[in-house]
Amino acid sequence: MLRTYGPGCDGNLVDPKLEKIPDEATWIDLEEPTNEEEQLVERCITVDVPTQDEMSEIEPSSRLYEQNGSLYMTVSVLFGVEDGVPSSTPVGFVLTGNRLVTIRYATPKPVRAFMEHARRDPELVRDAPTVLVRLLDAIIDRLADELENVGAEIERLSSAIFVKDAQDRRIPADKLTRLLTSIGRAQTLVTKIRYTAVSMNRLLSFLAGSKLLHEAAQQDTRNHIASLTTDVTSLSEHASFLSDNLTFLLDASLGLISIEQNAAMKLFSWAAVVFLPPTLIAGIFGMNFHYFYFPDLSWPYGYPLSLALMLASAVGPYLYFKKRGWI
């Protein structure tokens, strides 16, 4: 689909069979463009529309470059968080004159929200540099919101792991195992956020050093770019801090699971020690061979004595372990 925004254009769909794109359009948005839509943009704006494969390149030289008086930029944008499957999608920007062309094959939430704002506030799309900076600002704000959500999730996980209940009981191992899944999901989201932040930081550094943008943008737009660069740097540092916290929670969870497993094995160990002597005594007094027998088999007190001996051999180790604090 091909939409145009600008003075007099509020996100109208453009038929690729038309001869031209409206002159007042400052933002041309291509969502999963067809060949006809790409050809229309290339013919009317005289730029090369990057393909999806070209935008998927990871080296900076393929994502950020200037060609024939136009700036070509690609940034990886976070999306899919609402669906529980966080991922990143490349979004391409082509800035030429007073036209901004965006190429995307998914609709991240900040892009969708900015499109709605652009329809209500034409000032956001008064010129191409303003559209570019405001759209990048929306993406960065979304990253900040997701980092806040991750921080709240870390607080919840930390309380679930380290805070005991009113009876001061331990956390069951099966609950800790479920917590590992939550930690893994949070770590995946933080990784995607950091990837978007690094990609955005490269794009802003490229814009800050571009003479073409400095000539086309107003002073407030250039100041906005410097502010966004500072914000992205801070978000990257905060994402690293949250990642370290998640690593600590993961190590703590694994350690607690190991402690619970060791406690279970400890239970089996002392149970074996407690019941081994009575079993040995019962085995000895239970032997009855044809040419061998115990002389005390006919003793009237033999059976009660063997029971008492087995009980003493079981209670003795139990009391000893209890005194040492092993059980």
Side-chain angles (χ1 to χ4, degrees), residues 151-182:
E153 179 67 8
I154 289 177
E155 290 292 335
R156 186 190 69 82
L157 292 173
S158 179
S159 298
I161 294 173
F162 298 110
V163 178
K164 297 181 180 179
D165 58 14
Q167 287 76 28
D168 196 38
R169 292 178 297 187
R170 295 177 184 171
I171 303 175
D174 58 341
K175 183 178 180 181
L176 288 172
T177 304
R178 292 194 299 269
L179 288 175
L180 291 180
T181 303
S182 300

Side-chain angles (χ1 to χ4, degrees), residues 2-6 9-14 21-22 25-29:
L2 194 160
R3 293 185 177 90
T4 57
Y5 297 83
C9 303
D10 56 354
N12 299 325
L13 288 172
V14 176
I21 293 175
T26 57
W27 177 23
I28 297 94
D29 180 50

